[in-house]
């Protein structure tokens, strides 16, 4: 089955919501290399919708404390997401937010999000409980550990070890602590 066929039910639900609401938001969460960005791009092309990447909200160096990493879901700047994105999700207006620049380990340029009837938020931690009432649809993506490892090695090369030793355990802690997968409206396995 192709990706398009796999997502037909999701497309139908989005289209039904768009018939009754002036603004629809969808959050796509899941483990590293599960296909979140790919699905977001499919939806963006199909509906001409902007994408907000949770990777734009990595923690700045001063936020990377042992206490913060000990928090389930503490591995991203949710305070900045709440401040710079959440107020605009439901009212379908143009806004901008600042992007975290990994090469500089600091906040960088601003990304403008145009007014749109559909807004896509993709990335790990997008289903954090602080956002539980914000999104119209929550999608969770999963992939076998064997496939995930293969994708990470292909995508990240020498930096893969950091995913296996640090980022994936933090994601798993978040998924388990908040029952992220179980609370999703749609679950897809890739």
């Amino acid at each position: 089955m192709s990706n398009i066929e796999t997502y037909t039910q999701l497309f139908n639900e989005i289209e039904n919501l768009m018939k009754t609401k002036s603004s629809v938001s969808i959050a796509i969460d899941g483990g590293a290399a599960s296909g979140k960005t790919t699905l977001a791009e499919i939806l963006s092309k199909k509906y001409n919708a902007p994408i907000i990447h949770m990777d734009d909200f990595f923690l700045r160096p001063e936020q990377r404390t042992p206490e913060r990493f000990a928090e389930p879901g503490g591995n991203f700047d949710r305070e900045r997401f709440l401040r710079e994105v959440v107020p605009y999700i439901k009212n379908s207006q143009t806004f901008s937010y600042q992007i975290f620049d990994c090469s500089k380990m600091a906040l960088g340029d601003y990304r403008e999000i145009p007014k749109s009837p559909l807004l896509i938020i993709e990335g790990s931690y997008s289903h954090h409980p602080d956002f539980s009432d914000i999104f119209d649809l929550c999608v969770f993506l999963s992939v076998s550990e064997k496939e995930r490892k293969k994708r990470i090695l292909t995508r990240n090369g020498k930096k893969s070890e950091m995913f296996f030793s640090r980022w994936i355990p933090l994601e798993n802690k978040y998924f388990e602590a908040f029952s992220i997968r179980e609370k999703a409206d749609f679950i897809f396995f890739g």
Side-chain angles (χ1 to χ4, degrees), residues 35-162:
K36 300 177 298 292
T37 303
T38 300
L39 175 56
E41 289 170 355
I42 289 168
L43 293 172
S44 178
K45 287 177 186 169
K46 183 170 179 61
Y47 298 104
N48 193 29
I51 302 171
I52 295 173
H53 301 279
M54 293 305 289
D55 287 357
D56 294 340
F57 294 89
F58 282 149
L59 294 174
R60 295 181 309 277
E62 67 272 14
Q63 295 173 296
R64 295 174 183 221
T65 64
E67 296 80 17
R68 184 64 181 240
F69 285 122
E71 268 179 59
N75 189 29
F76 77 108
D77 194 344
R78 88 178 156 272
E79 297 84 1
R80 193 165 64 83
F81 186 82
L82 283 163
R83 189 174 58 251
E84 293 184 16
V85 175
V86 168
Y88 306 99
I89 288 176
K90 292 292 184 188
N91 61 16
S92 182
Q93 69 184 47
T94 298
F95 68 97
S96 62
Y97 67 88
Q98 205 166 6
I99 299 168
F100 182 80
D101 183 337
C102 290
S103 67
K104 297 177 183 174
M105 292 301 288
L107 295 177
D109 294 335
Y110 281 83
R111 173 174 287 146
E112 184 173 291
I113 303 297
K115 180 178 180 173
S116 176
L118 177 66
L119 181 61
I120 303 159
I121 295 84
E122 75 82 21
S124 295
Y125 308 105
S126 64
H127 293 188
H128 192 282
D130 284 358
F131 317 140
S132 62
D133 296 333
I134 295 170
F135 304 115
D136 297 297
L137 289 173
C138 290
V139 176
F140 187 86
L141 300 182
S142 185
V143 67
S144 73
E145 286 306 310
K146 181 179 178 182
E147 180 62 23
R148 176 156 77 160
K149 185 172 185 174
K150 178 180 151 192
R151 290 178 185 180
I152 290 171
L153 287 168
T154 300
R155 180 183 76 185
N156 299 98
K158 294 178 182 177
K159 296 180 182 180
S160 296
E161 185 51 41
M162 182 64 87

Side-chain angles (χ1 to χ4, degrees), residues 1-65:
M1 194 178 330
S2 73
N3 282 344
I4 301 303
E5 291 167 336
T6 301
Y7 301 131
T8 299
Q9 189 177 2
L10 174 61
F11 298 157
N12 291 339
E13 185 62 25
I14 291 169
E15 289 161 17
N16 286 336
L17 285 168
M18 290 174 75
K19 289 176 188 173
T20 61
K21 300 180 78 156
S22 62
S23 178
V24 175
S25 59
I26 178 171
I28 305 167
D29 206 328
S34 60
K36 300 177 298 292
T37 303
T38 300
L39 175 56
E41 289 170 355
I42 289 168
L43 293 172
S44 178
K45 287 177 186 169
K46 183 170 179 61
Y47 298 104
N48 193 29
I51 302 171
I52 295 173
H53 301 279
M54 293 305 289
D55 287 357
D56 294 340
F57 294 89
F58 282 149
L59 294 174
R60 295 181 309 277
E62 67 272 14
Q63 295 173 296
R64 295 174 183 221
T65 64

Side-chain angles (χ1 to χ4, degrees), residues 158-190:
K158 294 178 182 177
K159 296 180 182 180
S160 296
E161 185 51 41
M162 182 64 87
F163 281 86
F164 302 129
S165 64
R166 183 160 187 151
W167 305 131
I168 290 173
L170 289 171
E171 285 179 350
N172 289 339
K173 183 171 145 181
Y174 152 76
F175 297 146
E176 292 167 19
F178 299 122
S179 303
I180 298 301
R181 179 179 167 203
E182 294 78 8
K183 293 177 182 176
D185 299 304
F186 289 90
I187 300 170
F188 296 105
F189 300 92

